[in-house]
Amino acid sequence: MKWAKRAWLSIIRRPFKTLLLFLVIFVMVTLLAGSLSIIMASGKIKEQLSEGIGPEGTITMDYSYENPDLNEMFTYSFLENYVDTMESLCANENVISCEYHVNTLANALYSDLWGNENALGSVIASLYGTNVTEPALIKEGTLHLTQNLSGRFFTQEEIDNGEFVILTNRDLAKASSGLSTGLCKVGNEVTLSIPINYNYLDNGDVEVEYYKFNAKVIGTFSGDGGDSRIYIPNKALMKILEEADSFFAMRNCHADYAAFRVSDLEAMDAFDELAKKTVREVPGASYESSTTIYKKNAGPVENLDTIAKVIFVAALIATIIILSLVVVYFMQDRRKEIGIYASLGESKKHIISQLVLEVALVAVIAISAASASGLFLGNKLSDYMLEIQRYVQRQQDLGDLANLPVIYKPMFSDRLDTRDAVIDNFAIEADAQYFVTLYVVGEVTVLISCGFSMIYLTRFRPKEIMM
């Protein structure tokens, strides 16, 4: 292994040239390391965002006054069309779960402790029709079923048959001053009503007519976000609205948010196309795919990732070219030395091995140093570029926000907050994957550069090398 020993002696006996080679590799690999750290960090946060959003589609309804179809949306035929459309989308083979709601206002009459109902008043609640046995707010933990009161969820049979059973907020109209609606106790049969007509009397009073119906409390829940909410099967609510047959009742009705969970990302494109085509038949409905939401929230990171990939490829090509030229320059400076080795019978294989080993050893040290400087460069570069994109997109979004109806501004602001959170959570980490990838990429790049350089050496015979 004389050639290996010569390689080591050559490095320590030529400190200036070794330092020059070190600096060239260090600078180029720092660019590679900086861009690589950004690419890897972008990949992680995009994966987290993709998993968090999942393959989902959502339908929202526009009940703003600017909507020309607003009056049509307060009719029973519209709700019927909405429910049929949602059911058809839920039945799609790619959909693994879906949830949609129809809601209206309802009243629960107070009664005294002896059960007498009259002019004791009522509590106003939001009656939410649901097509699932366990509503999302409960399933996700925002609301909690009160298990200690022997409560339960809906059964699929109750949902399919539209039975008059309800889940209600435990704190809704609790017993107070001897008054109760009976909504707090599981097993109670309660009377609910929806206003169907308003009669204006000569003395200025308003007489309200109600459509009344009975429902059984099967469970209660607690938690933020459901203070006045009562869940009932969608089909039961549609029966109530059909029988009430009232213009005033329909003015309080809304087709609510719908969500569809698709089997996987590959099936998402097909479902997106179907959903967009289907919602055109529903006035005021708009469809948004999780892929769209992903692009809106991950936009700055996607742009940064693209720029980092361009820098990485450019730095990779530049490293190979520049390092190849530097090695050729060093070989020309050592032509006599190489010619002597060849004249003494040293094979080209061993000569080439010596030269490659010299570069590789220097490269190991340079890559080690560049791994730290690359992280620093990646952090500074990503912070700077993300802040620029945050500012530019914030200005664009604020312009869009100014043109939005008031009802949708909170939802739009939530989207801005989500994207800001994505930017704030972007972090470059020095993990094992980063170091392994950098060493592999760095050494392979050095070896490729040496390979191109050695073509110069293999063209000459010993005498030609010494000339």
Side-chain angles (χ1 to χ4, degrees):
M1 297 289 288
K2 292 181 181 179
W3 58 270
K5 184 178 180 181
R6 289 200 305 267
W8 173 249
L9 292 174
S10 177
I11 291 173
I12 60 177
R13 289 176 179 176
R14 294 182 175 87
F16 175 75
K17 291 183 178 178
T18 299
L19 179 61
L20 180 61
L21 180 62
F22 169 85
L23 290 175
V24 171
I25 298 175
F26 172 77
V27 171
M28 300 311 297
V29 175
T30 295
L31 288 176
L32 286 174
S35 55
L36 179 64
S37 65
I38 294 175
I39 292 170
M40 295 180 72
S42 300
K44 289 177 182 178
I45 200 164
K46 287 192 293 182
E47 184 179 353
Q48 291 172 2
L49 185 60
S50 178
E51 290 176 355
I53 295 175
E56 292 184 349
T58 57
I59 293 176
T60 53
M61 307 302 298
D62 180 10
Y63 279 94
S64 65
Y65 289 113
E66 289 82 1
N67 182 3
D69 299 318
L70 185 60
N71 287 330
E72 183 183 348
M73 294 169 68
F74 290 116
T75 62
Y76 181 79
S77 60
F78 165 79
L79 286 182
E80 200 171 31
N81 179 35
Y82 171 80
V83 171
D84 289 343
T85 302
M86 298 306 108
E87 286 293 334
S88 68
L89 289 174
C90 288
N92 184 272
E93 60 182 359
N94 294 321
V95 175
I96 56 177
S97 66
C98 67
E99 181 171 357
Y100 65 92
H101 300 284
V102 174
N103 69 76
T104 188
L105 294 179
N107 295 63
L109 296 175
Y110 280 123
S111 63
D112 59 26
L113 293 177
W114 296 272
N116 299 316
E117 293 181 0
N118 276 313
L120 296 174
S122 62
V123 60
I124 299 176
S126 297
L127 193 61
Y128 266 74
T130 181
N131 69 312
V132 293
T133 58
E134 186 179 354
L137 286 180
I138 298 177
K139 192 171 185 178
E140 294 169 359
T142 304
L143 303 176
H144 308 279
L145 190 69
T146 315
Q147 300 286 357
N148 59 334
L149 296 179
S150 302
R152 64 174 177 83
F153 297 117
F154 298 111
T155 64
Q156 192 59 50
E157 184 179 1
E158 289 168 341
I159 294 292
D160 294 339
N161 296 336
E163 296 185 17
F164 285 69
V165 289
I166 58 175
L167 287 171
T168 182
N169 193 296
R170 184 184 62 182
D171 298 324
L172 183 63
K174 272 187 175 180
S176 176
S177 302
L179 302 179
S180 173
T181 59
L183 290 171
C184 314
K185 189 175 181 181
V186 174
N188 270 8
E189 188 86 16
V190 297
T191 299
L192 299 172
S193 60
I194 57 174
I196 59 174
N197 197 18
Y198 297 86
N199 298 315
Y200 294 89
L201 305 179
D202 294 336
N203 61 4
D205 292 339
V206 179
E207 185 180 73
V208 184
E209 294 181 32
Y210 292 96
Y211 173 84
K212 295 183 180 181
F213 60 95
N214 294 325
K216 183 179 180 180
V217 180
I218 62 169
T220 62
F221 55 83
S222 61
D224 296 332
D227 293 343
S228 63
R229 185 169 299 202
I230 297 175
Y231 285 108
I232 189 171
N234 257 333
K235 289 186 178 180
L237 182 54
M238 292 301 290
K239 288 178 188 177
I240 294 166
L241 294 174
E242 184 178 19
E243 292 176 5
D245 190 21
S246 166
F247 167 80
F248 294 103
M250 293 308 304
R251 296 301 291 186
N252 291 323
C253 291
H254 290 79
D256 204 35
Y257 173 95
F260 304 86
R261 185 82 178 184
V262 180
S263 55
D264 53 55
L265 289 172
E266 293 181 359
M268 199 66 214
D269 290 338
F271 181 77
D272 286 346
E273 186 177 350
L274 172 66
K276 288 176 183 177
K277 181 179 178 181
T278 303
V279 296
R280 294 194 194 109
E281 307 300 322
V282 182
S286 60
Y287 174 78
E288 187 170 43
S289 169
S290 59
T291 54
T292 305
I293 299 172
Y294 170 83
K295 289 176 183 177
K296 288 177 180 177
N297 291 329
V301 176
E302 287 276 11
N303 294 337
L304 178 63
D305 183 55
T306 301
I307 295 171
K309 286 177 179 176
V310 172
I311 294 174
F312 181 81
V313 172
L316 194 65
I317 295 171
T319 300
I320 292 173
I321 294 172
I322 293 173
L323 192 56
S324 296
L325 294 175
V326 169
V327 173
V328 168
Y329 169 74
F330 285 163
M331 287 170 57
Q332 286 180 329
D333 194 47
R334 296 170 62 184
R335 286 182 64 174
K336 288 187 177 180
E337 177 190 345
I338 295 171
I340 292 172
Y341 292 150
S343 299
L344 294 174
E346 192 75 75
S347 65
K348 284 186 178 181
K349 175 182 175 182
H350 285 164
I351 296 173
I352 291 173
S353 297
Q354 174 188 335
L355 296 174
V356 170
L357 182 59
E358 289 178 23
V359 178
L361 289 174
V362 175
V364 169
I365 301 171
I367 292 172
S368 299
S371 63
S373 60
L375 288 172
F376 177 80
L377 176 65
N379 271 303
K380 292 298 181 182
L381 184 62
S382 60
D383 288 347
Y384 176 72
M385 295 176 67
L386 285 174
E387 284 305 318
I388 290 177
Q389 292 186 70
R390 190 207 297 266
Y391 175 78
V392 171
Q393 295 200 7
R394 173 66 70 167
Q395 297 306 308
Q396 294 174 347
D397 289 334
L398 290 177
D400 295 339
L401 182 61
N403 298 322
L404 273 183
V406 175
I407 189 173
Y408 288 111
K409 289 190 178 183
M411 294 166 50
F412 192 88
S413 297
D414 287 344
R415 197 191 85 192
L416 299 186
D417 293 340
T418 302
R419 188 166 59 208
D420 284 344
V422 171
I423 294 175
D424 293 337
N425 290 333
F426 185 90
I428 291 177
E429 299 176 351
D431 55 11
Q433 184 183 6
Y434 165 75
F435 288 109
V436 171
T437 304
L438 180 61
Y439 274 104
V440 170
V441 170
E443 287 295 345
V444 168
T445 303
V446 168
L447 292 176
I448 292 173
S449 301
C450 290
F452 285 128
S453 304
M454 296 310 148
I455 295 174
Y456 170 82
L457 179 63
T458 56
R459 294 187 304 114
F460 298 106
R461 291 186 178 88
K463 289 184 179 180
E464 294 174 331
I465 295 175
M466 297 182 68
M467 291 177 65

